[in-house]
């Protein structure tokens, strides 16, 4: 049995019932087969893959909090400090009822390679809780965040581990988490990113993942003789990533006709009104039915359906495995030319292969959504300098980083004879730097 197959088998055996983690490991290791097989004995002797798939540290803790009626609840908190070979652990916190250790490990594992691709000095980590922020009052959110940070603050710091947002964690949550960290540790430091501008945040961080996704798509299309201008685009999700993907897609001349949340989806024949979407989701924290109620050109449908709409470009920006093989077949039959992931692992392995086999340009999340964490690293740099850069400065850096990521990924794919396979390109390019750093630092 090959080394890659041995390690995949070991991961499945040692981490039972962690399907998403198995999926992420399989996807990465399958891509690396060509690199590993060039030098299998050496990689095996140094147990590189075993060290890569085992987190350096994995924390699990109790998070008790009191609701507005005086009822006590207990949630589970997690932080997986996966790999610090190239810098402090860096990665978001997800608050969603579906969170479990397998989900956090898949996200942390992906983050290692994504962060490597940014070219910045950040290692991989991820955390979160099965807490559901939906329908909670601001006071309940604060109570939960304070309790979560009371435990987490023992393990993080500006030079050790720097969490940020992800699903269910935005500016409000980061504020409460930061306040509690500072109160307990007495440190005003860049321990979290995604902070508000008034206490150390970076301009462009809010927009960064969505904008970065479009900078990546723009570069991918251009290098294949295409252009965003005039293209019909479908987006899923209606959160941080989706909103700013829609905004930048429109600025670049695309027409975005859909968005979705976990209850249903919108088809807007006139193109999504991004200001109305921001008001509904960011300010009023309402469902998409509220968007449809205020917009004549919008149809609201219950359930899942954005991938049924005929489009040139599809951007999954909600959650893992939201685009499966049937969706991929529908998109291809409808003439899609590019799919790029705003979310983490939104496309199943089968669907990804179908896109690649059918000549669809496919931007894997660890490359195409890296703009968020890259801008987080720029926030860390500003915090260390105790300076704040302008919007234009950060935005230009973000754009350059995304263009560089595309070209590094493209080059890695070409070097190994897999031209236009950006999945293989991203995994190889991300892996090479991490392995280099791991080898240089010895067996640690
Ligand atoms: P938000 O919480 O802001 O938004 C998430 C959106 O996805 C909401 O519209 C939500 O709907 C929808 N969604 C979440 N879970 C599900 C589900 N199980 N089924 C259907 N819809 C769902 O999160 P973000 O926009 O920050 O994150 C979106 C994705 O992007 C995630 O995969 C995240 O890991 C990834 N990502 C985020 C980055 C960031 O900087 N924020 C950076 C890189 C990747 P509802 O409100 O109904 O739950
Ligand atoms: O998945 C991701 O890259 C994020 N949620 C952002 C992480 C970060 O540290 O900004």
């Amino acid at each position: 049995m090959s080394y890659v197959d041995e390690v995949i088998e070991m991961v499945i055996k040692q981490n039972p019932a962690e399907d998403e983690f198995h999926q992420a490991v399989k996807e990465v290791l399958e891509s690396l087969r060509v690199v590993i097989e060039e030098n299998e004995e050496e990689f095996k002797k140094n147990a590189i893959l075993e060290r890569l798939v085992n987190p350096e540290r994995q924390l699990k803790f109790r998070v008790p909090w009191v609701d507005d009626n005086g009822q006590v609840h207990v949630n589970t908190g997690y932080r997986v400090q996966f790999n610090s070979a190239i810098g402090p652990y860096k990665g978001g916190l997800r608050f969603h009822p579906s969170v479990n250790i397998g989900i956090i490990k898949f996200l942390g594992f992906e983050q290692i390679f994504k962060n490597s691709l940014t070219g910045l000095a950040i290692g991989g980590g991820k955390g979160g809780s099965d807490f559901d922020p939906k329908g909670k009052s601001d006071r309940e959110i604060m109570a939960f965040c304070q309790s979560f940070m009371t435990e987490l603050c023992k393990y993080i710091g500006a030079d050790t581990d720097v969490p940020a947002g992800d699903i269910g964690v935005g500016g409000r949550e980061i504020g409460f988490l930061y306040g509690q960290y500072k109160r307990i540790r007495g440190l005003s430091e860049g321990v979290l990113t995604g902070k508000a501008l008034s206490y150390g945040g970076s301009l462009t961080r809010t927009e960064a993942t969505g904008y970065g996704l479009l900078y990546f798509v723009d570069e991918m299309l251009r290098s294949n003789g295409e252009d965003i201008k005039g293209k019909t685009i479908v987006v899923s999700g209606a959160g941080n990533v989706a909103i700013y993907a829609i905004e930048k897609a429109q600025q670049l001349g695309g027409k975005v006709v859909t968005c979705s949340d976990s209850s249903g989806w919108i088809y807007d024949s006139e193109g999504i009104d991004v200001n109305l979407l921001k008001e509904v989701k960011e300010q009023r924290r309402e469902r998409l039915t509220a968007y449809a109620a205020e917009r004549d050109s919008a149809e609201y449908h219950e359930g899942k359906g954005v991938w049924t709409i005929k489009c040139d470009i599809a951007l999954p920006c909600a959650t893992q495995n939201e685009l499966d093989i049937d969706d991929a077949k529908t998109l291809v039959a409808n003439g899609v030319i590019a799919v790029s992931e705003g979310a983490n692992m939104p496309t199943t392995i089968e669907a990804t292969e179908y896109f690649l086999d059918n000549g669809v340009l496919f931007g894997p999340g660890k490359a195409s959504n890296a703009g968020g964490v890259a801008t987080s690293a720029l926030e860390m740099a500003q915090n260390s300098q105790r300076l704040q850069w302008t919007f234009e400065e950060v935005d230009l850096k973000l754009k350059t980083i995304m263009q560089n990521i595309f070209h590094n990924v493209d080059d890695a794919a070409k070097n190994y004879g897999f031209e236009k396979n950006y999945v293989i390109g991203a995994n190889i390019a991300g892996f090479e730097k991490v392995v280099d750093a791991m080898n240089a630092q010895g067996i640690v």
Side-chain angles (χ1 to χ4, degrees), residues 94 96 107 114 126 134 165-168 205 209 237-242 260-263 281 287 317-319 342-344 369 372:
R94 176 177 292 191
H96 193 272
L107 290 163
K114 182 194 305 193
K126 199 85 187 190
K134 271 203 200 88
D166 193 82
I167 291 177
R205 177 61 189 91
T209 311
N240 175 263
V241 179
S260 66
D261 62 20
S262 55
S263 314
K281 285 293 174 185
R287 311 304 296 162
C317 297
T319 194
N344 285 307
N369 74 35

Side-chain angles (χ1 to χ4, degrees), residues 67-98:
D67 74 16
D68 288 346
N69 297 318
Q71 175 66 50
V72 177
H73 299 263
V74 176
N75 286 98
T76 305
Y78 302 93
R79 185 74 182 164
V80 175
Q81 299 181 327
F82 225 117
N83 189 302
S84 61
I86 60 180
Y89 310 106
K90 182 83 197 86
L93 298 172
R94 176 177 292 191
F95 292 170
H96 193 272
S98 64

